[in-house]
Amino acid sequence: TIANYTTANNNISNVGASNFFINDIDNETWPSGTGGLVGMSQGTITITNSFFTGNILSTNNSVLAVGGLIGEANGGVTTIRNSYAQADITGAATGSIIMLGGLIGGVDAGTNYVVNNSYYKGGFDSTGTLQYNGGLVGRSNNTGASTFTNSFSYVTATTASNKGGFVGTVLTGSVTQSN
């Protein structure tokens, strides 16, 4: 992870992490975000021409969000352009919720996202009470409209009760896809 936590108005461009293994064992009792490039983004963030390849393993005693690029997006607009993740993502939470996403693990209320010309390739393995695995986003709780354009996922395996090729589940807001 190049940044464990980011605040508003961050730009990450032309960054690559090849063949990394991230092992995040967090015994805390609050939400935890683990991502190939960013653990948690607080506010607007843009990732352009960047990638992560390898494996991500994360465990937590509470809520867990794990993503190939961003673990958890909270607030503002999250934009991912011309970027990708190729990784096997494993997460285990003894608490209530686990969110695994190829690009973004979890999107919190008050956050919108735009994914353009980006992809995920890999597999998921999750253990938890409520599991949300999505090819691009694990769980979307955005309050507005979010968009995927010219983006795709190729997921080889997923062990979740709520799963999807683009989004594991949409709690609020809307998600559209266009070519």
Side-chain angles (χ1 to χ4, degrees):
T1 301
I2 64 165
N4 185 44
Y5 182 84
T6 63
T7 56
N9 301 318
N10 282 279
N11 292 301
I12 296 173
S13 184
N14 302 310
V15 172
S18 292
N19 298 315
F20 274 77
F21 176 71
I22 297 174
N23 186 3
D24 180 25
I25 299 172
D26 188 357
N27 292 317
E28 303 299 334
T29 57
W30 58 76
S32 174
T34 304
L37 299 181
V38 176
M40 174 180 266
S41 68
Q42 182 74 39
T44 297
I45 185 170
T46 301
I47 296 177
T48 308
N49 300 323
S50 298
F51 69 89
F52 175 86
T53 66
N55 296 291
I56 302 173
L57 169 64
S58 187
T59 61
N60 188 299
N61 289 336
S62 183
V63 177
L64 181 67
V66 186
L69 298 180
I70 299 172
E72 186 170 3
N74 186 354
V77 178
T78 297
T79 303
I80 298 175
R81 288 190 199 106
N82 305 319
S83 299
Y84 67 90
Q86 292 182 350
D88 286 327
I89 300 173
T90 303
T94 57
S96 59
I97 300 171
I98 183 164
M99 302 165 277
L100 304 183
L103 300 180
I104 307 169
V107 177
D108 294 334
T111 308
N112 292 319
Y113 54 92
V114 176
V115 178
N116 188 346
N117 296 320
S118 299
Y119 73 90
Y120 168 73
K121 181 178 180 183
F124 298 116
D125 185 13
S126 60
T127 305
T129 306
L130 291 172
Q131 303 167 37
Y132 306 103
N133 294 357
L136 299 178
V137 175
R139 185 185 80 169
S140 178
N141 193 20
N142 60 312
T143 52
S146 294
T147 307
F148 297 108
T149 305
N150 296 324
S151 298
F152 69 93
S153 67
Y154 179 77
V155 179
T156 55
T158 183
T159 58
S161 50
N162 299 289
K163 53 192 165 204
F166 282 100
V167 181
T169 194
V170 177
L171 297 180
T172 59
S174 65
V175 176
T176 59
Q177 186 273 332
S178 65
N179 291 336

